[in-house]
Amino acid sequence: MIASDVDGTLLGPSEIVTERTVAVVRRVLADGVPFVLCTGRPPRWIAPISQPLGLTGYAVCANGAVLLDIGTDSVVEVHGQLEPMLLHDLADALDKALPGCRLAAERIDLGPADHSMRNFVIEPDYHNPWGDGEGRVAMRGEVLGKPAIKLLISRRGMSSEEMAEAVRAVLDDSVDVTYSSSGGLIELSAHGITKAHGLADVAARFDVPAESVIAFGDMPNDVEMLRWAGHGVAMANGHEQALAAADEVTGPVTEDGVAQVLERWF
């Protein structure tokens, strides 16, 4: 089984999957090998990647919290949710660690995927490093008022690395802290809910052992997946934590690093 992160791994700055990568992924599928997307993206951001690649299987979304059946566009599993009482406690701690931070909550339901903004709720002035304009603006009480699969925190003027260090110093082990961009955004999820957790679910459905999985990634939210897979491959453009966790480093995303590895067999 093949598993791959999306941003910085399959997608470079152009945000387009190259013809070379499309061709090798389609050869993977033609040989009957599952190809699984493993991403921090929510289900509503999967189609632009899955369609050109011809994927109809599973996508592990929201850093392992959600399993999406791409073919039916349905959420088939939700792993771990942050309850409102915990969300309020986290918000209090975050205000102390990161004064001026803004919060957002990603929610999900089983069944047909909801591609509206109803379940992505953001505070005023919440900043998205991938471009603002997405999300339903609400006051903090509403953002924290329902169970969420992840809590996102933005803080202008700080890097994600700086934010993560400050937050880990004040939070206990009830949540995990990660990030997939250095642009001032971190994410909190239920403890133990990682891409590795979601990918293990998919592997069990296909009866594929971990040692028969090749996984690709580039950022700290890929570390557990790279370690869990039989062969973890980091992109040359990746974060130092991903590089340290991998069994191999391939070329950067701008040089089709994923395709470079897969072309050995397909």
Side-chain angles (χ1 to χ4, degrees):
M1 189 167 75
I2 311 299
S4 180
D5 171 51
V6 173
D7 298 286
T9 302
L10 284 176
L11 285 186
S14 68
E15 298 192 0
I16 296 173
V17 185
T18 67
E19 292 183 6
R20 181 181 179 183
T21 298
V22 169
V24 73
V25 170
R26 289 181 177 267
R27 292 198 295 273
V28 169
L29 299 175
D31 276 6
V33 177
F35 191 99
V36 183
L37 298 177
C38 294
T39 176
R41 292 179 175 223
R44 62 181 176 275
W45 286 9
I46 295 301
I49 312 305
S50 62
Q51 289 175 356
L53 292 171
L55 301 180
T56 58
Y58 291 110
V60 174
C61 303
N63 291 324
V66 176
L67 184 59
L68 177 73
D69 183 323
I70 297 172
T72 62
D73 196 28
S74 296
V75 175
V76 296
E77 196 72 55
V78 176
H79 298 288
Q81 296 212 69
L82 305 172
E83 296 298 325
M85 183 175 295
L86 176 57
L87 290 172
H88 280 277
D89 289 343
L90 292 171
D92 289 341
L94 290 166
D95 281 339
K96 295 180 177 68
L98 299 172
C101 68
R102 295 293 181 265
L103 309 180
E106 187 79 56
R107 303 164 183 164
I108 206 77
D109 296 310
L110 289 170
D114 181 357
H115 297 296
S116 72
M117 290 298 102
R118 180 175 62 88
N119 283 328
F120 183 49
V121 188
I122 67 175
E123 281 193 295
D125 201 36
Y126 170 82
H127 172 62
N128 185 341
W130 291 284
D132 293 324
E134 186 181 60
R136 179 169 61 86
V137 178
M139 301 310 292
R140 178 166 291 194
E142 184 176 351
V143 171
L144 306 176
K146 294 182 179 179
I149 53 171
K150 61 181 178 179
L151 184 67
L152 302 94
I153 305 97
S154 75
R155 174 65 162 80
R156 297 179 189 272
M158 293 183 70
S159 70
S160 303
E161 290 84 352
E162 292 169 336
M163 293 172 64
E165 182 178 359
V167 167
R168 287 181 178 128
V170 300
L171 295 184
D172 59 24
D173 60 1
S174 61
V175 294
D176 290 340
V177 183
T178 192
Y179 52 94
S180 55
S181 160
S182 295
L185 181 72
I186 61 174
E187 303 176 10
L188 306 185
S189 58
H191 179 61
I193 303 302
T194 66
K195 289 185 179 183
H197 182 94
L199 184 57
D201 183 343
V202 178
R205 291 168 186 259
F206 285 111
D207 196 26
V208 174
E211 56 265 28
S212 296
V213 177
I214 301 173
F216 297 86
D218 73 307
M219 288 296 285
N221 63 330
D222 297 312
V223 165
E224 292 84 0
M225 176 178 71
L226 294 174
R227 290 174 175 162
W228 176 86
H231 191 68
V233 183
M235 312 300 289
N237 54 276
H239 191 281
E240 59 183 12
Q241 292 180 28
L243 298 175
D247 300 298
E248 176 185 355
V249 176
T250 186
V253 64
T254 53
E255 297 177 11
D256 298 301
V258 171
Q260 288 182 32
V261 173
L262 294 181
E263 285 167 352
R264 299 175 193 166
W265 301 282
F266 303 96

